[in-house]
Coordinates of all heavy atoms in Angstrom, one line a residue:
M1 N 0.8 -1.1 0.0 CA 0.0 0.0 0.0 C 0.9 1.2 0.0 O 1.8 1.4 0.8 CB -0.9 -0.1 1.2 CG -1.8 1.2 1.3 SD -2.7 1.2 2.9 CE -4.2 0.7 2.3
S2 N 0.6 2.1 -0.9 CA 1.4 3.3 -1.0 C 0.9 4.4 -0.1 O -0.3 4.4 0.3 CB 1.6 3.8 -2.5 OG 0.2 4.3 -2.8
G3 N 1.7 5.4 0.2 CA 1.4 6.5 1.1 C 0.2 7.4 0.4 O -0.4 8.0 1.2
D4 N 0.0 7.3 -0.9 CA -0.9 8.1 -1.6 C -2.4 7.6 -1.2 O -3.3 8.4 -1.1 CB -0.8 8.1 -3.0 CG 0.5 8.8 -3.4 OD1 0.9 9.7 -2.7 OD2 1.0 8.4 -4.6
D5 N -2.5 6.4 -0.9 CA -3.8 5.7 -0.6 C -4.3 6.3 0.8 O -5.6 6.5 0.9 CB -3.8 4.2 -0.5 CG -3.6 3.6 -1.8 OD1 -3.9 4.3 -2.9 OD2 -3.1 2.4 -1.8
E6 N -3.5 6.6 1.6 CA -3.8 7.1 2.9 C -4.2 8.6 2.8 O -4.8 9.1 3.8 CB -2.8 6.8 3.9 CG -2.5 5.3 4.2 CD -1.3 5.1 5.1 OE1 -1.0 6.0 5.9 OE2 -0.9 4.0 5.1
A7 N -3.8 9.3 1.8 CA -4.1 10.7 1.7 C -5.5 11.1 1.4 O -5.9 12.2 1.7 CB -3.1 11.4 0.7
Y8 N -6.3 10.2 0.9 CA -7.6 10.4 0.5 C -8.5 10.5 1.7 O -8.2 9.8 2.7 CB -8.0 9.3 -0.5 CG -7.5 9.6 -1.9 CD1 -6.3 9.2 -2.3 CD2 -8.4 10.3 -2.9 CE1 -5.8 9.4 -3.6 CE2 -7.9 10.5 -4.1 CZ -6.5 10.1 -4.5 OH -6.2 10.3 -5.7
V9 N -9.5 11.3 1.6 CA -10.4 11.6 2.7 C -11.9 11.1 2.2 O -12.2 11.5 1.1 CB -10.5 13.1 3.0 CG1 -11.5 13.4 4.1 CG2 -9.0 13.6 3.5
Y10 N -12.6 10.4 3.1 CA -13.9 9.9 2.6 C -14.9 11.0 3.1 O -14.9 11.5 4.1 CB -14.3 8.7 3.4 CG -15.7 8.1 3.0 CD1 -15.8 7.5 1.8 CD2 -16.7 8.2 3.9 CE1 -17.1 7.0 1.5 CE2 -18.0 7.8 3.6 CZ -18.1 7.2 2.3 OH -19.3 6.6 1.9
D11 N -15.7 11.5 2.1 CA -16.7 12.6 2.3 C -18.0 11.9 2.4 O -18.6 11.3 1.4 CB -16.7 13.6 1.0 CG -17.6 14.7 1.2 OD1 -18.2 14.8 2.4 OD2 -17.8 15.4 0.3
E12 N -18.5 12.0 3.7 CA -19.9 11.3 3.9 C -20.9 11.9 3.2 O -21.9 11.3 2.9 CB -20.1 11.2 5.4 CG -19.1 10.4 6.1 CD -19.4 10.3 7.6 OE1 -20.5 10.6 8.1 OE2 -18.4 9.9 8.3
A13 N -21.0 13.1 2.9 CA -22.0 13.9 2.2 C -22.2 13.4 0.8 O -23.4 13.2 0.3 CB -21.8 15.4 2.2
T14 N -21.1 13.2 0.0 CA -21.2 12.6 -1.3 C -20.9 11.3 -1.4 O -21.3 10.6 -2.4 CB -20.1 13.4 -2.1 OG1 -18.8 13.1 -1.7 CG2 -20.3 14.8 -2.1
G15 N -20.4 10.5 -0.4 CA -20.0 9.1 -0.4 C -18.9 8.9 -1.3 O -18.8 7.7 -1.8
E16 N -17.9 9.7 -1.5 CA -16.8 9.5 -2.5 C -15.5 9.8 -1.6 O -15.5 10.4 -0.6 CB -16.9 10.6 -3.5 CG -18.1 10.4 -4.4 CD -18.1 11.5 -5.5 OE1 -17.1 12.3 -5.6 OE2 -19.1 11.6 -6.3
W17 N -14.4 9.1 -2.1 CA -13.1 9.3 -1.6 C -12.5 10.5 -2.4 O -12.5 10.5 -3.6 CB -12.3 8.0 -1.8 CG -12.7 7.0 -0.9 CD1 -13.4 6.1 -1.2 CD2 -12.2 7.0 0.5 NE1 -13.6 5.2 0.0 CE2 -12.8 5.8 1.0 CE3 -11.4 7.6 1.3 CZ2 -12.7 5.2 2.3 CZ3 -11.2 7.2 2.7 CH2 -11.9 6.0 3.2
L18 N -12.1 11.6 -1.7 CA -11.5 12.8 -2.3 C -10.1 13.0 -1.9 O -9.7 12.6 -0.8 CB -12.4 14.1 -1.8 CG -13.9 13.8 -2.1 CD1 -14.6 15.0 -1.6 CD2 -14.1 13.9 -3.7
P19 N -9.4 13.7 -2.7 CA -8.0 13.9 -2.4 C -8.0 15.0 -1.2 O -9.0 15.7 -1.0 CB -7.4 14.7 -3.6 CG -8.4 14.3 -4.8 CD -9.7 14.0 -4.2
P20 N -6.9 15.0 -0.4 CA -6.9 15.9 0.8 C -7.1 17.3 0.3 O -6.6 17.7 -0.8 CB -5.5 15.6 1.4 CG -4.7 15.0 0.4 CD -5.7 14.3 -0.6
G21 N -7.9 18.1 1.1 CA -8.0 19.5 0.8 C -9.2 19.8 -0.2 O -9.6 21.0 -0.2
S22 N -9.7 18.7 -0.8 CA -10.8 19.0 -1.6 C -12.1 18.5 -1.0 O -13.1 18.5 -1.7 CB -10.6 18.3 -3.0 OG -10.6 17.0 -2.9
A23 N -12.1 18.0 0.2 CA -13.4 17.5 0.8 C -14.3 18.7 1.0 O -13.9 19.8 1.3 CB -13.0 17.1 2.2
A24 N -15.5 18.4 0.7 CA -16.6 19.4 0.8 C -16.9 19.9 2.2 O -16.8 19.2 3.0 CB -17.9 18.9 0.2
T25 N -17.0 21.3 2.2 CA -17.3 21.7 3.5 C -18.8 21.5 3.8 O -19.6 21.4 2.9 CB -17.0 23.3 3.6 OG1 -17.8 23.9 2.5 CG2 -15.4 23.6 3.4
P26 N -19.1 21.4 5.1 CA -20.5 21.2 5.4 C -21.4 22.3 4.8 O -21.0 23.5 5.0 CB -20.6 21.1 6.8 CG -19.2 21.3 7.4 CD -18.3 21.4 6.2
P27 N -22.6 22.0 4.3 CA -23.3 23.0 3.9 C -23.9 23.9 5.0 O -24.2 23.5 6.1 CB -24.6 22.4 3.2 CG -24.6 21.0 3.8 CD -23.2 20.7 4.2
E28 N -23.9 25.3 4.7 CA -24.4 26.2 5.7 C -26.0 26.0 6.0 O -26.7 25.7 5.1 CB -24.2 27.7 5.3 CG -22.7 28.0 5.3 CD -22.4 29.4 4.8 OE1 -23.3 30.2 4.9 OE2 -21.4 29.8 4.2
A29 N -26.3 26.2 7.2 CA -27.7 26.1 7.5 C -28.6 27.1 6.7 O -28.1 28.3 6.6 CB -28.0 26.3 9.1
T30 N -29.6 26.7 6.1 CA -30.5 27.5 5.4 C -31.3 28.3 6.3 O -31.9 27.8 7.2 CB -31.4 26.6 4.4 OG1 -30.6 25.7 3.8 CG2 -32.0 27.4 3.3
A31 N -31.4 29.7 6.0 CA -32.1 30.6 6.8 C -33.7 30.3 6.6 O -34.1 30.2 5.4 CB -31.8 32.1 6.5
V32 N -34.4 30.2 7.7 CA -35.8 30.1 7.6 C -36.5 31.4 7.4 O -36.2 32.3 8.4 CB -36.4 29.3 8.8 CG1 -37.9 29.2 8.8 CG2 -35.6 27.9 9.0
R33 N -37.2 31.6 6.4 CA -37.7 32.9 6.0 C -39.3 32.8 6.0 O -39.8 31.8 5.7 CB -37.3 33.5 4.9 CG -35.8 33.7 4.8 CD -35.3 34.3 3.6 NE -33.9 34.6 3.6 CZ -33.2 35.6 4.2 NH1 -33.9 36.5 4.7 NH2 -31.9 35.6 4.2
D34 N -40.0 33.9 6.5 CA -41.4 34.1 6.4 C -41.9 34.5 5.1 O -41.0 34.7 4.2 CB -42.0 35.1 7.5 CG -41.5 36.4 7.3 OD1 -40.8 36.9 6.3 OD2 -42.0 37.3 8.2
A35 N -43.2 34.7 4.9 CA -43.7 35.2 3.6 C -43.1 36.5 3.1 O -43.1 36.6 1.8 CB -45.3 35.2 3.7
A36 N -42.7 37.3 3.9 CA -42.2 38.6 3.5 C -40.6 38.6 3.3 O -40.1 39.6 3.0 CB -42.5 39.7 4.6
G37 N -40.0 37.4 3.7 CA -38.6 37.3 3.5 C -37.8 37.6 4.7 O -36.5 37.6 4.7
N38 N -38.5 37.9 5.9 CA -37.7 38.1 7.1 C -37.3 36.9 7.7 O -37.9 35.7 7.6 CB -38.7 38.8 8.2 CG -39.2 40.0 7.7 OD1 -38.5 40.8 7.2 ND2 -40.5 40.3 7.8
V39 N -36.1 36.8 8.3 CA -35.4 35.6 8.9 C -36.1 35.3 10.2 O -36.3 36.2 11.1 CB -34.0 35.7 9.2 CG1 -33.4 34.5 9.8 CG2 -33.2 36.0 7.8
L40 N -36.6 34.1 10.4 CA -37.2 33.6 11.7 C -36.2 32.9 12.5 O -35.3 32.1 12.0 CB -38.4 32.6 11.3 CG -39.5 33.2 10.5 CD1 -40.6 32.1 10.2 CD2 -40.1 34.3 11.3
A41 N -36.4 32.9 13.8 CA -35.6 32.1 14.8 C -36.5 31.5 15.8 O -37.6 31.9 15.9 CB -34.7 33.2 15.4
D42 N -35.9 30.7 16.6 CA -36.6 30.0 17.7 C -37.1 31.0 18.6 O -36.3 32.0 18.9 CB -35.8 29.0 18.4 CG -35.6 27.6 17.7 OD1 -36.5 27.4 16.8 OD2 -34.7 26.9 17.9
G43 N -38.4 31.0 19.1 CA -38.9 32.0 20.1 C -39.5 33.1 19.5 O -40.2 33.9 20.2
D44 N -39.5 33.4 18.1 CA -40.2 34.5 17.7 C -41.7 34.3 17.5 O -42.2 33.2 17.7 CB -39.7 34.6 16.0 CG -38.3 35.2 15.8 OD1 -37.7 35.7 16.8 OD2 -37.8 35.1 14.8
S45 N -42.4 35.5 17.5 CA -43.7 35.5 17.4 C -44.1 35.8 15.9 O -43.5 36.6 15.3 CB -44.4 36.6 18.2 OG -44.2 36.2 19.5
V46 N -45.2 35.1 15.4 CA -45.6 35.3 14.0 C -47.1 35.7 13.9 O -47.8 35.3 14.8 CB -45.2 34.2 13.1 CG1 -43.7 34.0 12.9 CG2 -45.9 32.9 13.5
T47 N -47.5 36.2 12.8 CA -48.9 36.5 12.5 C -49.3 35.8 11.3 O -48.5 35.8 10.3 CB -49.2 38.0 12.4 OG1 -48.6 38.7 13.5 CG2 -50.5 38.3 12.2
L48 N -50.5 35.2 11.3 CA -51.0 34.6 10.1 C -51.4 35.6 9.1 O -52.0 36.6 9.4 CB -52.2 33.7 10.4 CG -51.9 32.5 11.4 CD1 -53.2 31.7 11.6 CD2 -50.9 31.6 10.8
I49 N -51.1 35.4 7.8 CA -51.4 36.3 6.8 C -52.7 36.0 6.0 O -53.1 36.7 5.1 CB -50.2 36.5 5.8 CG1 -49.9 35.1 5.1 CG2 -49.0 37.1 6.5 CD1 -48.9 35.3 3.8
K50 N -53.3 34.7 6.3 CA -54.5 34.3 5.7 C -55.2 33.3 6.6 O -54.6 32.8 7.5 CB -54.3 33.7 4.4 CG -53.6 32.4 4.2 CD -53.4 31.8 2.8 CE -54.6 31.1 2.5 NZ -54.5 30.5 1.2
D51 N -56.5 33.1 6.5 CA -57.3 32.2 7.2 C -56.7 30.8 6.8 O -56.6 30.5 5.6 CB -58.8 32.3 6.9 CG -59.3 33.5 7.4 OD1 -58.7 34.3 8.1 OD2 -60.6 33.8 7.1
L52 N -56.5 29.9 7.8 CA -56.1 28.6 7.5 C -57.0 27.6 8.2 O -57.3 27.7 9.4 CB -54.7 28.4 8.1 CG -53.6 29.2 7.6 CD1 -52.3 29.0 8.3 CD2 -53.4 28.9 6.0
K53 N -57.5 26.6 7.4 CA -58.3 25.5 8.0 C -57.3 24.4 8.6 O -56.4 24.1 7.9 CB -59.1 24.8 6.9 CG -60.2 25.8 6.5 CD -61.1 25.1 5.4 CE -62.2 26.0 4.9 NZ -63.1 25.3 3.9
V54 N -57.4 24.1 9.8 CA -56.5 23.2 10.5 C -57.1 21.8 10.3 O -58.2 21.4 10.8 CB -56.3 23.5 12.0 CG1 -55.4 22.5 12.6 CG2 -55.9 25.0 12.1
R55 N -56.4 20.9 9.6 CA -56.8 19.6 9.4 C -56.8 18.8 10.9 O -55.8 18.9 11.6 CB -55.9 18.8 8.5 CG -55.9 19.2 7.1 CD -55.0 18.3 6.3 NE -54.3 19.1 5.3 CZ -53.3 18.8 4.7 NH1 -52.8 17.5 4.9 NH2 -52.8 19.5 3.8
G56 N -57.9 18.0 11.0 CA -57.9 17.3 12.2 C -58.4 18.0 13.3 O -58.8 17.3 14.4
A57 N -58.7 19.3 13.4 CA -59.1 20.0 14.5 C -60.5 20.6 14.2 O -61.0 21.3 15.1 CB -58.1 21.1 14.9
N58 N -61.1 20.4 12.9 CA -62.2 21.2 12.5 C -62.3 22.6 13.0 O -63.3 23.0 13.6 CB -63.3 20.3 13.1 CG -63.5 19.0 12.5 OD1 -63.1 18.8 11.3 ND2 -63.9 18.0 13.1
Q59 N -61.1 23.3 12.8 CA -61.1 24.7 13.2 C -60.4 25.5 12.3 O -59.7 25.0 11.4 CB -60.3 24.7 14.6 CG -60.2 26.0 15.3 CD -59.5 26.0 16.5 OE1 -59.2 24.9 17.0 NE2 -59.4 27.2 17.2
T60 N -60.7 26.8 12.1 CA -60.0 27.7 11.3 C -59.3 28.8 12.1 O -59.9 29.5 12.9 CB -61.0 28.3 10.4 OG1 -61.8 27.3 9.5 CG2 -60.4 29.3 9.3
L61 N -58.0 28.9 11.8 CA -57.3 30.0 12.4 C -57.4 31.2 11.4 O -57.2 31.2 10.3 CB -55.8 29.7 12.4 CG -55.5 28.6 13.5 CD1 -54.0 28.2 13.5 CD2 -55.8 28.9 14.9
K62 N -57.8 32.3 12.0 CA -58.1 33.6 11.3 C -56.9 34.4 11.0 O -55.9 34.3 11.7 CB -59.2 34.4 12.1 CG -60.4 33.8 12.3 CD -61.2 33.6 11.1 CE -62.6 33.0 11.4 NZ -63.3 32.7 10.2
Q63 N -56.9 35.1 9.9 CA -55.9 36.0 9.5 C -55.6 36.9 10.6 O -56.6 37.5 11.2 CB -56.3 36.7 8.2 CG -55.2 37.8 7.8 CD -55.6 38.4 6.5 OE1 -56.6 38.1 5.8 NE2 -54.9 39.5 6.1
G64 N -54.4 37.2 11.0 CA -54.0 38.1 12.0 C -53.8 37.4 13.4 O -53.5 38.1 14.3
T65 N -54.1 36.2 13.4 CA -53.9 35.4 14.7 C -52.4 35.4 14.9 O -51.6 35.1 14.2 CB -54.4 33.9 14.6 OG1 -55.7 33.9 14.3 CG2 -54.1 33.1 15.8
V66 N -52.0 35.7 16.2 CA -50.6 35.7 16.7 C -50.3 34.3 17.2 O -51.0 33.9 18.1 CB -50.4 36.8 17.7 CG1 -48.9 36.9 18.1 CG2 -50.7 38.3 17.1
I67 N -49.2 33.8 16.8 CA -48.6 32.6 17.3 C -47.3 32.9 17.9 O -46.4 33.5 17.4 CB -48.3 31.6 16.2 CG1 -49.7 31.3 15.3 CG2 -47.8 30.3 16.7 CD1 -50.7 30.5 15.9
R68 N -47.1 32.6 19.2 CA -46.0 33.0 20.0 C -45.0 31.8 20.2 O -45.4 30.7 20.2 CB -46.3 33.6 21.3 CG -47.0 34.8 21.2 CD -47.3 35.5 22.7 NE -47.9 36.7 22.5 CZ -49.2 36.9 22.3 NH1 -50.1 36.0 22.0 NH2 -49.7 38.2 22.2
S69 N -43.7 32.1 20.4 CA -42.8 31.1 20.7 C -42.7 30.0 19.6 O -42.9 28.7 20.0 CB -43.0 30.5 22.1 OG -42.9 31.5 23.0
I70 N -42.4 30.4 18.4 CA -42.3 29.2 17.4 C -41.0 28.5 17.5 O -40.0 28.9 18.2 CB -42.2 29.9 16.0 CG1 -41.2 30.7 15.8 CG2 -43.6 30.6 15.8 CD1 -40.8 31.1 14.3
R71 N -41.0 27.3 17.1 CA -39.6 26.5 17.0 C -39.4 26.1 15.5 O -40.3 25.7 14.8 CB -39.8 25.2 17.9 CG -39.8 25.6 19.3 CD -39.8 24.4 20.2 NE -41.2 23.9 20.1 CZ -41.6 22.6 20.2 NH1 -40.6 21.6 20.3 NH2 -42.8 22.2 20.1
L72 N -38.2 26.2 15.1 CA -37.7 25.8 13.8 C -37.7 24.3 13.7 O -37.4 23.7 14.7 CB -36.5 26.5 13.4 CG -36.5 28.0 13.5 CD1 -35.0 28.5 13.0 CD2 -37.4 28.6 12.7
T73 N -37.9 23.8 12.6 CA -37.8 22.4 12.3 C -36.7 22.1 11.3 O -36.0 23.0 10.9 CB -39.2 21.7 11.7 OG1 -39.4 22.4 10.4 CG2 -40.3 22.0 12.6
D74 N -36.4 20.8 11.0 CA -35.4 20.4 10.0 C -35.8 21.0 8.6 O -34.9 21.2 7.7 CB -35.2 19.0 9.9 CG -34.6 18.5 11.3 OD1 -33.9 19.2 12.0 OD2 -34.9 17.3 11.6
D75 N -37.1 21.1 8.3 CA -37.6 21.7 7.0 C -37.7 23.1 7.1 O -38.3 23.8 7.8 CB -38.9 21.1 6.8 CG -39.5 21.4 5.4 OD1 -38.9 22.2 4.7 OD2 -40.5 20.7 5.0
P76 N -36.9 23.9 6.2 CA -36.9 25.4 6.3 C -38.3 25.9 5.9 O -38.4 27.1 5.9 CB -35.7 25.7 5.3 CG -35.5 24.6 4.4 CD -36.0 23.4 5.3
E77 N -39.2 25.1 5.4 CA -40.5 25.6 5.0 C -41.6 25.4 6.1 O -42.7 25.7 5.8 CB -40.9 25.0 3.6 CG -40.0 25.4 2.6 CD -40.4 24.8 1.3 OE1 -41.4 24.1 1.1 OE2 -39.7 25.1 0.2
E78 N -41.2 24.8 7.1 CA -42.2 24.6 8.2 C -41.7 25.0 9.6 O -40.5 24.9 9.9 CB -42.4 23.1 8.3 CG -43.2 22.5 7.1 CD -43.4 21.0 7.1 OE1 -42.9 20.4 8.0 OE2 -44.2 20.5 6.2
I79 N -42.6 25.5 10.4 CA -42.3 25.8 11.9 C -43.2 25.1 12.8 O -44.3 24.8 12.4 CB -42.4 27.3 12.1 CG1 -43.8 27.9 11.7 CG2 -41.2 28.0 11.4 CD1 -43.9 29.3 12.0
D80 N -42.8 24.7 13.9 CA -43.6 24.1 15.0 C -44.1 25.1 15.8 O -43.3 26.1 16.3 CB -42.6 23.1 15.7 CG -43.3 22.1 16.5 OD1 -44.5 21.8 16.2 OD2 -42.7 21.3 17.3
C81 N -45.4 25.1 16.1 CA -46.0 26.3 16.9 C -46.9 25.6 18.1 O -47.3 24.4 18.1 CB -47.0 27.0 16.0 SG -46.2 27.5 14.5
R82 N -47.4 26.5 19.0 CA -48.3 26.2 19.9 C -49.4 27.2 19.8 O -49.1 28.4 19.6 CB -47.8 26.4 21.3 CG -46.9 25.2 21.8 CD -46.6 25.4 23.2 NE -45.5 24.5 23.6 CZ -44.8 24.6 24.6 NH1 -45.0 25.6 25.5 NH2 -43.8 23.8 24.9
H83 N -50.7 26.8 19.9 CA -51.8 27.6 19.9 C -52.7 27.1 21.1 O -52.7 26.0 21.4 CB -52.6 27.5 18.6 CG -53.7 28.5 18.5 ND1 -55.0 28.2 18.8 CD2 -53.6 29.8 18.0 CE1 -55.7 29.3 18.7 NE2 -54.9 30.2 18.2
D84 N -53.5 28.0 21.7 CA -54.1 27.7 22.9 C -55.1 26.5 22.8 O -55.2 25.7 23.6 CB -55.1 28.9 23.3 CG -54.2 30.1 23.7 OD1 -53.1 29.9 24.1 OD2 -54.8 31.2 23.5
T85 N -55.6 26.4 21.5 CA -56.7 25.3 21.4 C -56.1 24.1 20.5 O -56.8 23.1 20.4 CB -57.9 25.8 20.6 OG1 -57.6 26.4 19.4 CG2 -58.6 26.9 21.5
I86 N -54.9 24.3 19.8 CA -54.3 23.2 19.1 C -53.0 22.9 19.5 O -52.1 23.7 19.5 CB -54.4 23.7 17.5 CG1 -55.7 24.2 17.1 CG2 -53.9 22.6 16.7 CD1 -55.7 24.9 15.8
K87 N -52.8 21.6 19.8 CA -51.5 21.1 20.1 C -50.8 20.4 19.0 O -51.5 19.9 18.1 CB -51.6 20.1 21.3 CG -52.2 20.6 22.6 CD -52.3 19.5 23.8 CE -52.7 20.1 24.9 NZ -52.8 19.2 26.0
G88 N -49.5 20.6 18.9 CA -48.8 20.0 17.8 C -49.0 20.6 16.5 O -49.0 20.0 15.5
L89 N -49.2 21.9 16.4 CA -49.5 22.6 15.2 C -48.2 22.9 14.4 O -47.1 23.4 15.0 CB -50.2 24.0 15.6 CG -50.5 24.8 14.5 CD1 -51.6 24.2 13.5 CD2 -51.0 26.3 15.1
V90 N -48.2 22.5 13.2 CA -47.1 22.8 12.3 C -47.7 23.7 11.1 O -48.6 23.4 10.5 CB -46.5 21.5 11.7 CG1 -45.3 21.8 10.6 CG2 -46.0 20.6 12.8
L91 N -47.0 24.8 10.9 CA -47.4 25.8 9.9 C -46.3 25.9 8.9 O -45.1 25.9 9.2 CB -47.6 27.2 10.5 CG -48.8 27.3 11.5 CD1 -48.9 28.7 12.1 CD2 -50.1 27.0 10.8
R92 N -46.6 26.2 7.7 CA -45.8 26.5 6.6 C -45.4 28.0 6.6 O -46.3 28.8 7.0 CB -46.4 26.2 5.2 CG -46.7 24.6 5.1 CD -46.9 24.1 3.8 NE -46.0 24.5 2.7 CZ -45.0 23.9 2.4 NH1 -44.6 22.8 3.0 NH2 -44.2 24.4 1.5
T93 N -44.1 28.3 6.4 CA -43.6 29.5 6.5 C -44.3 30.6 5.5 O -44.2 31.8 5.7 CB -42.1 29.7 6.4 OG1 -41.8 29.1 5.2 CG2 -41.4 28.9 7.7
E94 N -44.8 30.0 4.4 CA -45.4 31.0 3.5 C -46.8 31.6 3.9 O -47.1 32.5 3.3 CB -45.7 30.1 2.1 CG -46.7 29.0 2.4 CD -46.8 28.1 1.1 OE1 -47.4 28.5 0.2 OE2 -46.2 27.0 1.2
F95 N -47.2 31.1 5.0 CA -48.5 31.7 5.6 C -48.3 32.6 6.9 O -49.3 33.0 7.5 CB -49.5 30.5 5.9 CG -49.8 29.7 4.7 CD1 -49.6 28.4 4.7 CD2 -50.4 30.3 3.7 CE1 -49.9 27.6 3.6 CE2 -50.7 29.5 2.5 CZ -50.5 28.2 2.5
V96 N -47.1 32.8 7.2 CA -46.9 33.6 8.4 C -45.9 34.8 8.1 O -45.3 34.7 7.1 CB -46.3 32.8 9.5 CG1 -47.2 31.7 10.0 CG2 -44.9 32.2 9.2
R97 N -46.0 35.9 9.0 CA -45.2 37.1 8.9 C -44.7 37.3 10.3 O -45.4 37.3 11.2 CB -45.9 38.2 8.4 CG -45.1 39.5 8.1 CD -45.9 40.6 7.7 NE -46.9 41.1 8.8 CZ -48.2 41.1 8.6 NH1 -48.7 40.9 7.4 NH2 -49.0 41.4 9.5
K98 N -43.3 37.6 10.4 CA -42.7 37.9 11.6 C -43.4 39.2 12.2 O -43.6 40.1 11.6 CB -41.3 38.0 11.5 CG -40.4 38.2 12.8 CD -39.0 38.2 12.5 CE -38.2 38.3 13.7 NZ -36.7 38.2 13.5
R99 N -43.6 39.1 13.5 CA -44.1 40.3 14.2 C -42.9 41.3 14.7 O -41.9 40.9 15.0 CB -44.8 39.9 15.6 CG -46.1 39.3 15.3 CD -47.0 39.3 16.4 NE -47.5 40.6 16.5 CZ -48.2 41.1 17.6 NH1 -48.5 40.3 18.6 NH2 -48.6 42.3 17.7

């Protein structure tokens, strides 16, 4: 075995063996943005920009409803929320605006 074989680095993201120094850097976290393009963070409050029918709860959340203390998820298009009457609420970021 030559010394060149040991110089390669396994890149788990691509599943390939790469020469040293060319290993891909980890991708930067994608910023979670609301409908207006504002960056959202854990703990932010958001306002609904349209009426939303909530599946499984037989309830409609009205435009202008304030949702407090959001939590970001692995999906940059969804946020985890709490509402007084609905537990385990997940909203798409396209329907909210940061307060």
Side-chain angles (χ1 to χ4, degrees):
M1 179 186 258
S2 67
D4 292 337
D5 291 337
E6 295 175 21
Y8 282 82
V9 178
Y10 184 72
D11 183 8
E12 292 182 18
T14 63
E16 299 177 2
W17 287 95
L18 302 172
S22 66
T25 57
E28 294 181 21
T30 315
V32 178
R33 297 187 181 272
D34 67 0
N38 300 316
V39 177
L40 297 174
D42 283 338
D44 283 349
S45 293
V46 295
T47 305
L48 297 180
I49 61 171
K50 68 179 271 182
D51 291 353
L52 297 175
K53 291 181 182 177
V54 181
R55 290 187 217 161
N58 295 330
Q59 184 177 357
T60 300
L61 293 175
K62 300 290 183 184
Q63 178 179 351
T65 301
V66 176
I67 306 290
R68 292 182 176 81
S69 300
I70 66 167
R71 286 181 289 150
L72 304 181
T73 63
D74 293 334
D75 186 349
E77 295 181 359
E78 294 180 347
I79 55 174
D80 201 13
C81 311
R82 284 190 195 164
H83 188 264
D84 297 335
T85 59
I86 304 169
K87 294 183 181 182
L89 180 64
V90 176
L91 294 174
R92 296 196 46 90
T93 56
E94 63 190 279
F95 301 123
V96 299
R97 183 182 67 232
K98 187 174 180 177
R99 287 198 73 189

